[in-house]
Amino acid sequence: MLPTHISRSSPASSPTRGFPPIKSFIGRPLFRWIPLAIGCIFVLWIVARQLSYIEWVGRIPGPIDPHHKRPIPGEWGISPPPPRPHRVPTLWSRRAEQVREAFKYAYKGYDTYAFPRDELLPVSGESVNNFNGWGLTAFDALDTLWIMGLSEEWHRVVQLAANATFPCTSTSYAPFFETVIRYLGGLLSAYALSGEPILLSRADDLGKMLLPAFNTTSGLPMYAVNTVSGRTRGGWSGHALWSEVLSNQMEYKYLAHLTGRAEYFHKTERAMELMEQASHNFTVEGLFATMWDIELGTPANTQYSVGAFADSAHEYLLKQYLLTGRSEARARDLYLLSVNGIINNLLYITPRRHLLYVTDIHANQPSHKFEHLSCFLPALLALGVHTLDLSAQDKQLHQWAAQGLAETCWITYADQATGLGPDEMTMTSSLGDDSELEWDGRWIKHVRQWEKSRVTEAWMVASDVPPGVGPLKPMRDTAGRDYMNLKSGYLLRPETVESFYILWKTTGEVRWRERGWAVFDSLQKYAKTPQGFASVYNVNKLPVDLKDEMPSFFLAETLKYLYLLFSEEDILPLDRWVLNTEAHPLPVFQWKTWEKAEYDISH
Ligand code: DMJ
């Protein structure tokens, strides 16, 4: 007897071996079911797909597990970045593509070795939590992922953001300035670009959690805040730094506009009121102190700068005016005051090469230090010239300053063995011990002298531009450079290429693109590691020594600016987008009638 489950006609016992001809099946009942079975499988497959789609749309995705198999983009119910246009490639679009590849490379290093921690350590392949531990690089890079059309990475970070609760332990604090410009700015710009509502929702959460920073007698923000308890703490100086006070207005005003929460506007605007009051009482006309008394809301020192402690405050005066549809005249007027204060007091030229630089002054004494951080200033000046209704004379002066400063920022790269720029320099401010002549390097004096001589000695004046503006030639010999590297490292900072980008956009002069390309070339040659890109210890030394850090702003800013500089498309038109100090684009908006009434905006 055969066991019951084996049929007598099973292949093993069948006398017919091999695959029978199709014809022989026609008319047999089993074959007639095959099309129906295929149809059913197809319908089930469609239903299954719909279910998983509904599941992704309908709920917040689960917690991120970096080792978990990644879901396929498209099944997430999150809008993907738009497809990038297919055009005939040009020299510059190919270069933009190479920047995109470099970005992908750096991000992959972060994704592989560091996600969801804050930053990659690109030499050791380790990671570090140095800004709250919420995934800083991912948040900071989010809008660049969108702009470059990297959908898989984009989806993963949106999922991370969707789950973010922005925790602090009972003893930890989130630094207010950095958290606003990097995390909040990152979320808001990614929301503005993609329309993904969950990003706005998280931005609103974070905006609220950081608000206690403003609970001071003056209303100026504290250095850091515990996002859970709302406790705050001051910084090392015991005062508020000017850059920290005035680098949250773009983010909080845009958030106020999107959410209708008036509190956001009022809290962030308080610093603007205090700046206006201070402007009636300047120690040096147009210059705002680098430190502010957190209780009184008044200047706490007589140091003036465009570099560390001050930099982005200058930026936010103009940029919040542009962002809010040019409706807030106070911001514009304070920008013009401050920028004229800079031109009249902080700009100098060196005696031999006539390098134009911006320095800081303390109790009326210029330090003659020039920081890489200050290399954002050419971009700001050029943006002001491009967007504001300035007199012809001011336009010219501001444009010369922008051009000359960007030229110096460039030359501090081009002079070095690596082609990368040092973080800080001491500029030569005298003719040397063997000279009996005094050198007064204040740029505005040289400009006025040059203007006079153009009128009285026109036949002798060789140049169309005043000293400090003309083109410079790179110099390898350190002795004749007119400056010394004080902090010799290149920290992957964006400011110089940021200025190249804005100068290219506003003047159309291709030399800014060429210089950006030279910087990118050096980055590829000297800063690349097997895991990402690293800061360089000494820009004038070959072979290079690399520092084990890849700051998030390298992805948020440096590579974004280079990509925008080379792209043939006008991805972020300057009249529609304003980039915050971390290069996160926010869209220009107009206050509604009720908002103007509520916020007392009259222009
Ligand atoms: C960035 O985080 C921001 O641009 C900030 O305003 C100052 N500098 C760093 C990069 O150098």
Side-chain angles (χ1 to χ4, degrees):
M1 277 285 285
L2 282 169
T4 50
H5 66 277
I6 300 180
S7 122
R8 285 192 183 274
S9 59
S10 71
S13 61
S14 165
T16 320
R17 298 286 162 102
F19 198 77
I22 291 177
K23 234 167 59 188
S24 67
F25 277 104
I26 296 174
R28 290 188 188 179
L30 180 66
F31 187 72
R32 273 199 235 114
W33 287 103
I34 289 176
L36 192 60
I38 292 173
C40 287
I41 291 168
F42 182 66
V43 170
L44 281 172
W45 180 69
I46 296 272
V47 171
R49 265 181 69 96
Q50 287 306 313
L51 282 177
S52 79
Y53 173 77
I54 289 161
E55 189 188 22
W56 277 110
V57 172
R59 73 180 174 89
I60 297 170
I64 280 274
D65 168 5
H67 306 296
H68 189 264
K69 190 174 164 289
R70 290 163 193 191
I72 304 153
E75 287 186 355
W76 291 54
I78 295 166
S79 32
R84 293 177 329 123
H86 293 290
R87 300 256 164 83
V88 182
T90 64
L91 169 73
W92 291 105
S93 71
R94 275 193 293 266
R95 289 180 169 180
E97 201 47 41
Q98 288 186 54
V99 177
R100 186 171 178 266
E101 286 305 316
F103 179 92
K104 276 168 73 176
Y105 181 81
Y107 191 83
K108 187 160 187 252
Y110 166 73
D111 209 16
T112 312
Y113 300 102
F115 182 91
R117 285 162 60 84
D118 282 343
E119 283 180 351
L120 169 72
L121 302 180
V123 177
S124 60
E126 303 281 315
S127 62
V128 63
N129 271 340
N130 48 359
F131 286 99
N132 313 334
W134 305 334
L136 174 73
T137 300
F139 280 82
D140 224 3
L142 186 51
D143 58 345
T144 320
L145 291 172
W146 176 274
I147 288 167
M148 293 187 179
L150 300 170
S151 25
E152 187 175 339
E153 296 85 344
W154 158 263
H155 283 113
R156 267 174 37 84
V157 182
V158 173
Q159 194 192 20
L160 176 77
N163 283 279
T165 53
F166 311 113
C168 275
T169 65
S170 58
T171 53
S172 70
Y173 292 84
F176 179 71
F177 163 81
E178 299 291 358
T179 308
V180 167
I181 66 167
R182 301 192 197 205
Y183 282 101
L184 187 56
L187 280 167
L188 285 170
S189 69
Y191 167 71
L193 289 163
S194 69
E196 196 58 57
I198 204 145
L199 298 173
L200 173 58
S201 193
R202 289 299 87 83
D204 192 23
D205 291 350
L206 182 57
K208 262 187 261 163
M209 292 165 115
L210 297 174
L211 268 189
F214 291 106
N215 295 343
T216 57
T217 332
S218 65
L220 293 180
M222 291 291 278
Y223 165 73
V225 56
N226 181 299
T227 47
V228 179
S229 66
R231 267 199 318 274
T232 58
R233 84 169 170 84
W236 58 271
S237 68
H239 297 300
L241 303 181
W242 195 43
S243 51
E244 293 174 354
V245 160
L246 226 53
S247 302
N248 51 71
Q249 286 67 23
M250 292 178 70
E251 294 80 2
Y252 270 105
K253 285 184 180 180
Y254 181 47
L255 197 53
H257 181 64
L258 291 175
T259 60
R261 290 188 209 285
E263 199 184 5
Y264 289 151
F265 181 92
H266 293 301
K267 297 256 181 194
T268 195
E269 188 62 358
R270 174 69 184 139
M272 292 297 288
E273 290 162 16
L274 291 170
M275 294 308 129
E276 188 175 30
Q277 284 166 24
S279 73
H280 301 306
N281 222 352
F282 277 132
T283 312
V284 183
E285 180 63 13
L287 295 185
F288 292 91
T290 55
M291 289 191 190
W292 290 71
D293 189 306
I294 203 105
E295 295 298 308
L296 305 172
T298 51
N301 70 0
T302 52
Q303 181 167 8
Y304 309 102
S305 175
V306 170
F309 306 173
D311 48 5
S312 45
H314 296 283
E315 218 179 320
Y316 274 43
L317 291 176
L318 175 63
K319 288 187 172 179
Q320 67 184 292
Y321 172 68
L322 298 176
L323 181 70
T324 58
R326 304 170 190 227
S327 56
E328 299 176 24
R330 168 159 63 196
R332 179 203 54 206
D333 295 347
L334 291 177
Y335 166 74
L336 288 173
L337 268 177
S338 87
V339 90
N340 288 325
I342 294 169
I343 291 176
N344 290 328
N345 300 286
L346 302 184
L347 295 192
Y348 282 77
I349 55 172
T350 63
R352 282 174 289 268
R353 284 174 102 187
H354 286 181
L355 307 177
L356 179 60
Y357 62 97
V358 59
T359 194
D360 46 323
I361 53 178
H362 194 16
N364 269 327
Q365 287 306 309
S367 72
H368 297 292
K369 283 182 191 152
F370 179 39
E371 296 170 62
H372 190 292
L373 282 174
S374 306
C375 283
F376 79 93
L377 185 61
L380 185 66
L381 287 160
L383 187 65
V385 169
H386 185 70
T387 52
L388 297 180
D389 197 14
L390 301 178
S391 70
Q393 240 183 353
D394 278 354
K395 242 186 210 310
Q396 183 64 90
L397 187 66
H398 292 202
Q399 187 63 29
W400 278 334
Q403 210 175 306
L405 286 166
E407 197 73 27
T408 307
C409 292
W410 154 238
I411 213 70
T412 65
Y413 278 59
D415 284 350
Q416 316 296 329
T418 58
L420 297 168
D423 205 45
E424 195 173 311
M425 296 132 277
T426 300
M427 310 303 286
T428 304
S429 58
S430 73
L431 286 162
D433 293 343
D434 43 348
S435 169
E436 286 176 5
L437 295 172
E438 280 281 308
W439 171 254
D440 180 354
R442 255 172 73 175
W443 183 61
I444 196 67
K445 285 195 176 168
H446 288 268
V447 174
R448 299 298 174 224
Q449 236 164 38
W450 172 85
E451 280 169 348
K452 244 201 241 153
S453 63
R454 280 194 100 192
V455 179
T456 55
E457 303 156 33
W459 57 275
M460 278 180 64
V461 177
S463 171
D464 281 348
V465 289
V469 180
L472 297 162
K473 284 206 181 79
M475 189 177 274
R476 279 289 138 82
D477 167 31
T478 49
R481 280 185 188 169
D482 259 8
Y483 67 90
M484 266 166 38
N485 296 349
L486 198 62
K487 292 184 186 164
S488 305
Y490 172 64
L491 309 184
L492 301 178
R493 287 195 196 277
E495 292 80 14
T496 296
V497 293
E498 170 182 354
S499 284
F500 293 169
Y501 165 62
I502 297 291
L503 279 161
W504 154 247
K505 279 283 161 204
T506 53
T507 66
E509 289 172 17
V510 78
R511 68 181 152 138
W512 303 114
R513 269 182 152 182
E514 296 289 3
R515 290 162 180 188
W517 177 248
V519 174
F520 180 67
D521 193 42
S522 292
L523 274 170
Q524 295 269 60
K525 268 197 201 122
Y526 299 117
K528 207 163 179 175
T529 74
Q531 287 85 16
F533 286 82
S535 296
V536 170
Y537 271 117
N538 184 343
V539 289
N540 208 27
K541 179 177 164 281
L542 288 176
V544 287
D545 288 326
L546 296 177
K547 192 172 177 197
D548 201 5
E549 62 173 25
M550 185 174 83
S552 70
F553 53 68
F554 179 63
L555 293 168
E557 301 193 67
T558 312
L559 290 178
K560 183 191 284 144
Y561 281 125
L562 285 166
Y563 183 71
L564 295 173
L565 175 63
F566 303 148
S567 285
E568 298 287 32
E569 286 80 37
D570 193 8
I571 299 175
L572 301 169
L574 293 179
D575 57 341
R576 293 192 6 229
W577 294 90
V578 189
L579 283 84
N580 87 341
T581 189
E582 191 76 2
H584 295 306
L586 302 178
V588 170
F589 67 87
Q590 300 292 336
W591 291 117
K592 303 222 167 78
T593 314
W594 77 262
E595 290 172 316
K596 284 189 179 174
E598 166 76 29
Y599 306 145
D600 199 16
I601 296 167
S602 47
H603 288 72

